[in-house]
Amino acid sequence: MANHSKKSLIPTTFYEQATHNKRGLYWLTPVLVLFLYLCVMGVFIWLQRLQNDSVMFVTIDQETRQQRLMMVIIALSLVIVVSLLALWRYTRFRTRAEAALIAETGFRRAMENSMSTGMRVFDMHGRIAYVNPAFCRMIGWNEADLVGRTAPFPYWLPGRHQQHQDTLDLLLSGRTPSSGLEVEAQRRDGSRFTSRMYVSPLRDPNGVQIGWMTSMTDITEPKRIREALTAAHERFMTVLEGLDDAISVVADTSDGLELLFANRTYRRFFGAQSNGHEELQGGRLGRFTDETVEIFAESAQRWFEVHHRMLAWTDGRRVRLQVARDITERRKHEELSRVQQEKVQLTSRLTTMGEMASSLAHELNQPLTAISNYSMGAVAMLKSGRYNPESLLSALEKASQQAERAGKIISRIREFVKRSEPRRQQVKMMGIIENAVSFADIDARKRQIDIDLVLPDPLPDVIADPILIEQVLLNLLKNGVEAMEASQYHVLHVVVTRQDNLLELAVIDRGHGLQNPERLFEPFYSTKSEGLGMGLNICRTIIESHHGRLWATENPEGGTIFRFTLPCAVSENSETPDNNLEML
């Protein structure tokens, strides 16, 4: 067993199995011959002793012959012993060679039986000479049904024998490609499968070709998966190519950005270069977030909404994915919408002034009448020649004060109704509140309603367009005054509170309350018979454009509470003022 210590364990195992039943049997024949020889020699010696003991047989010549015969027998015995030893050695060698051959054959047969690849051998005439069990399992036919068969074979597809014959002719001609052939076959139960077949020449030990060895692997499932992946890839690429967004993927290299992928929209705008990606990148470096930016591309003369993301490419590299959406038309529409919104807001302000026209006329009539009276009194004193300079000066000063009062009212009206570009800036909320309350107070006094202000100290500045916020507040105050016209409670409360980085304004009335509150902010919905239904909708749009919120709730004591929020200009690290809003 020492000779097998350096071999693989698998052949050794087969060797041990092959020699298990024959171990030690090779010595039986030489031992049997030796035993018979010893028996013959024993009989011969016994006969010699018997003759020697008999006097009548002893003579000198006979003794010489006996010695010579004895020497010949001994020489022959030595030759027989040597021959038996040589025969024993040769028999032992043959036994071991046979055991090794059996082990090798068993090992190779075990490998063939364990293979999942179907092996098949054709002779030079196209006759099947050998098939392994895997091939039999693959097609469902037994070895006895296949070995010795010629075309057509039982696993050929019905109706496609000519195609299979062409494949067989190609195989026997030795012109099969090294990448193999894809062939279809039919199992014994009628099911079909696809296999990949590789062909190589089969040669004897002298190098003479004696046939063709083929190996077949069932690729039905891998082919189905491959076709599914190909179809999925084609669908995915079709979707990407059909998108209106410009999608590109680039990698950072020492020579700049390398374009790894670009869909059709990107190529239409920027070509097959990475310049467009770099232009839309906007100079941003490093790891991108999910933030979306709007960038104007000079090369394409278009506006794009650009989204960046870092991802791992197929080779493991970190690359930059960019999705750019053309928003040129959207920006044009937004600009048109903004202009229309400005017109609507201006119309709303003009409508508000129109509704307050009688009250404003009355408010202006008082200072104008006072100016007229003071002026007429001064003229009368001058015509009479009896005037006191101090009285005349007092009358003119009072006329000047009334003219200034009228001028402020007119200036405030002009500022409120004039058309201007929206300007969000840091403004003092106190000025906005005073202007809106001064306008609303004209109509409130007419209806005998007081406006009460509750303000925090200090009142922070806000980021807003003062004219638009004044329009919102005036609209809410005007609605509250009109709602309380028939109420027994004659105070409209305006409460301002600070909540973290927001300033909240609440207009609290005790009027008739809400009807259909879920529809209150819908366009063209109004609770007034003469209303257009645009006021609250415009107010909500204005507040939301300032990153605030406008909503309405029922007042537990009757009426409605309208609230809206605005961002504060400066975030102060101070305690939030006490909430001054109480249900009044």
Side-chain angles (χ1 to χ4, degrees):
M1 300 300 295
N3 294 333
H4 303 282
S5 61
K6 297 182 180 179
K7 295 182 179 181
S8 171
L9 293 178
I10 295 179
T12 302
T13 303
F14 278 93
Y15 180 83
E16 291 176 354
Q17 292 178 354
T19 60
H20 178 72
N21 297 327
K22 300 180 178 60
R23 185 175 298 171
L25 298 181
Y26 58 85
W27 54 270
L28 288 178
T29 300
V31 168
L32 180 61
V33 173
L34 182 61
F35 175 75
L36 294 176
Y37 169 74
L38 292 176
C39 290
V40 172
M41 291 299 298
V43 172
F44 176 76
I45 293 172
W46 176 74
L47 290 175
Q48 287 293 332
R49 287 182 178 178
L50 181 63
Q51 187 177 6
N52 291 335
D53 293 337
S54 178
V55 178
M56 59 181 299
F57 291 105
V58 176
T59 63
I60 298 175
D61 293 336
Q62 289 179 346
E63 183 176 359
T64 303
R65 281 198 305 270
Q66 285 291 341
Q67 291 178 355
R68 291 178 180 177
L69 181 60
M70 197 68 174
M71 292 177 62
V72 172
I73 292 175
I74 291 173
L76 291 175
S77 298
L78 292 175
V79 171
I80 291 174
V81 170
V82 171
S83 299
L84 287 175
L85 291 175
L87 178 62
W88 173 78
R89 182 179 180 185
Y90 177 73
T91 305
R92 181 181 180 187
F93 171 77
R94 284 290 301 271
T95 304
R96 289 185 175 178
E98 289 176 1
L101 182 60
I102 294 173
E104 183 72 16
T105 303
F107 176 61
R108 293 183 180 276
R109 176 64 67 176
M111 286 195 301
E112 293 176 5
N113 295 341
S114 301
M115 290 179 63
S116 60
T117 302
M119 306 298 295
R120 175 185 54 179
V121 176
F122 287 106
D123 62 13
M124 300 302 294
H125 303 288
R127 183 183 293 106
I128 297 178
Y130 165 80
V131 290
N132 72 336
F135 185 86
C136 296
R137 290 193 302 269
M138 187 180 299
I139 64 173
W141 296 87
N142 298 325
E143 182 180 1
D145 300 326
L146 298 174
V147 174
R149 291 287 296 267
T150 57
F153 300 113
Y155 49 81
W156 282 6
L157 297 179
R160 297 173 61 179
H161 284 192
Q162 184 58 44
Q163 180 180 350
H164 286 291
Q165 184 63 49
D166 295 340
T167 302
L168 180 61
D169 294 340
L170 180 66
L171 185 154
L172 296 176
S173 66
R175 292 182 287 108
T176 54
S178 58
S179 58
L181 295 173
E182 187 174 298
V183 296
E184 291 188 20
Q186 179 174 277
R187 298 185 180 92
R188 192 168 190 172
D189 59 3
S191 61
R192 299 183 179 185
F193 67 97
T194 305
S195 64
R196 172 69 63 176
M197 181 177 67
Y198 297 92
V199 183
S200 61
L202 180 65
R203 303 182 186 277
D204 63 8
N206 297 323
V208 179
Q209 183 176 348
I210 59 175
W212 298 95
M213 171 68 74
T214 66
S215 62
M216 295 179 62
T217 304
D218 188 351
I219 61 170
T220 305
E221 185 63 18
K223 182 180 179 181
R224 185 192 66 78
I225 296 174
R226 184 174 66 252
E227 291 177 349
L229 290 176
T230 301
H233 177 72
E234 290 178 356
R235 291 193 297 268
F236 180 68
M237 291 303 299
T238 301
V239 171
L240 285 181
E241 291 293 331
L243 288 176
D244 293 331
D245 296 347
I247 301 176
S248 58
V249 179
V250 299
D252 294 322
T253 64
S254 58
D255 298 329
L257 296 180
E258 176 189 358
L259 185 64
L260 301 177
F261 173 80
N263 69 343
R264 183 173 56 188
T265 304
Y266 178 92
R267 296 192 300 270
R268 186 176 74 246
F269 286 128
F270 307 104
Q273 304 296 329
S274 62
N275 299 338
H277 187 105
E278 186 174 5
E279 183 178 6
L280 295 179
Q281 188 170 300
R284 298 192 302 170
L285 300 174
R287 187 179 297 276
F288 297 112
T289 62
D290 291 336
E291 179 186 2
T292 300
V293 296
E294 296 183 359
I295 295 178
F296 181 76
E298 293 288 345
S299 59
Q301 290 296 305
R302 311 286 290 182
W303 277 96
F304 291 94
E305 183 182 74
V306 185
H307 179 78
H308 295 272
R309 179 173 295 177
M310 299 294 295
L311 52 84
W313 196 238
T314 54
D315 56 3
R317 288 184 295 174
R318 299 292 294 176
V319 297
R320 304 175 188 271
L321 168 67
Q322 178 177 270
V323 180
R325 176 168 298 175
D326 185 3
I327 59 171
T328 305
E329 295 300 322
R330 191 183 78 183
R331 286 182 69 93
K332 290 180 180 178
H333 293 158
E334 288 177 351
E335 181 64 22
L336 292 175
S337 177
R338 186 186 63 81
V339 173
Q340 294 296 330
Q341 187 68 22
E342 290 179 13
K343 292 179 179 179
V344 171
Q345 293 170 2
L346 177 61
T347 303
S348 176
R349 293 198 294 271
L350 291 174
T351 301
T352 302
M353 288 295 101
E355 293 174 353
M356 297 177 63
S358 60
S359 299
L360 290 172
H362 176 73
E363 188 72 11
L364 287 172
N365 188 52
Q366 290 180 350
L368 293 177
T369 302
I371 292 172
S372 176
N373 291 335
Y374 288 135
S375 298
M376 289 177 62
V379 171
M381 284 189 291
L382 290 174
K383 285 181 178 181
S384 65
R386 301 190 303 271
Y387 63 89
N388 186 350
E390 293 181 358
S391 300
L392 183 60
L393 181 60
S394 176
L396 293 176
E397 287 178 349
K398 291 180 180 180
S400 175
Q401 292 175 358
Q402 293 299 321
E404 185 178 355
R405 176 188 172 191
K408 287 183 178 180
I409 295 174
I410 295 173
S411 176
R412 197 174 294 137
I413 294 173
R414 287 184 64 239
E415 184 69 21
F416 183 74
V417 300
K418 77 175 181 178
R419 180 176 181 178
S420 61
E421 294 290 331
R423 295 173 300 168
R424 267 185 283 178
Q425 56 189 334
Q426 182 174 342
V427 295
K428 294 187 177 298
M429 194 63 197
M430 192 63 198
I432 297 175
I433 295 175
E434 288 178 349
N435 288 339
V437 170
S438 63
F439 273 129
D441 193 51
I442 297 173
D443 196 32
R445 289 201 306 269
K446 180 179 177 182
R447 292 179 169 84
Q448 298 180 349
I449 296 175
D450 297 328
I451 299 178
D452 178 59
L453 292 177
V454 180
L455 306 175
D457 187 19
L459 182 61
D461 296 344
V462 294
I463 301 296
D465 184 314
I467 298 299
L468 297 181
I469 301 303
E470 185 178 326
Q471 177 183 355
V472 172
L473 183 55
L474 177 58
N475 193 299
L476 298 180
L477 291 173
K478 182 172 173 293
N479 289 343
V481 169
E482 292 176 356
M484 293 177 61
E485 186 173 9
S487 175
Q488 299 298 322
Y489 192 81
H490 298 287
V491 180
L492 178 66
H493 298 278
V494 178
V495 180
V496 182
T497 57
R498 172 76 180 274
Q499 297 181 355
D500 296 331
N501 294 326
L502 294 176
L503 193 68
E504 181 183 293
L505 286 85
V507 178
I508 307 171
D509 68 66
R510 290 194 183 179
H512 48 70
L514 293 175
Q515 296 179 358
N516 298 324
E518 66 280 357
R519 301 186 57 194
L520 200 58
F521 295 95
E522 291 182 6
F524 306 108
Y525 174 80
S526 177
T527 57
K528 307 174 187 177
S529 58
E530 71 282 0
L532 297 178
M534 291 298 295
L536 289 177
N537 180 264
I538 293 173
C539 290
R540 170 171 278 186
T541 302
I542 292 173
I543 294 300
E544 289 179 350
S545 69
H546 285 73
H547 306 291
R549 179 168 165 256
L550 171 62
W551 72 101
T553 57
E554 293 185 0
N555 189 345
E557 298 185 11
T560 308
I561 302 176
F562 283 90
R563 292 183 174 90
F564 68 90
T565 59
L566 292 172
C568 295
V570 179
S571 179
E572 300 176 355
N573 297 325
S574 59
E575 295 183 358
T576 303
D578 294 337
N579 193 344
N580 296 320
L581 178 58
E582 299 177 358
M583 294 303 174
L584 301 173

